[in-house]
Amino acid sequence: MGSHTITSRTPGVFYHRPSPDADPYVTEGASVSEGDTVGLVEVMKTFHEVKADAAGTVSRFLVENEDEVTIGQELVELET
């Protein structure tokens, strides 16, 4: 098995869930397909979906919910 890291395409605040009282998009150990939403990055009240760019299993999140992120920052590690 290999690994793949999903990175942020925009700077902003990373969110694991679509709203504060909703379930997270994915959790550690979950399987994802290419194109699945794994989180959101909010910049200036605009939300951008973070999508898996490979299929695999979420091994860990590299940032916490509501962490500030930068362009290219690693967000989610997948086992492929």
Side-chain angles (χ1 to χ4, degrees):
M1 272 192 155
S3 65
H4 176 78
T5 305
I6 301 169
T7 59
S8 180
R9 296 177 186 244
T10 60
V13 178
F14 180 78
Y15 294 97
H16 288 271
R17 56 190 83 229
S19 66
D21 50 348
D23 290 333
Y25 285 106
V26 295
T27 57
E28 292 180 0
S31 294
V32 295
S33 299
E34 188 172 340
D36 286 354
T37 302
V38 298
L40 295 174
V41 174
E42 181 263 327
V43 58
M44 298 180 66
K45 304 295 181 198
T46 301
F47 292 86
H48 303 274
E49 290 183 334
V50 177
K51 300 216 179 253
D53 50 2
T57 301
V58 176
S59 57
R60 65 186 178 127
F61 282 90
L62 303 171
V63 294
E64 296 295 323
N65 191 51
E66 299 184 11
D67 276 358
E68 297 253 348
V69 298
T70 59
I71 294 173
Q73 184 169 347
E74 297 178 337
L75 304 174
V76 182
E77 185 176 275
L78 300 178
E79 289 298 322
T80 55

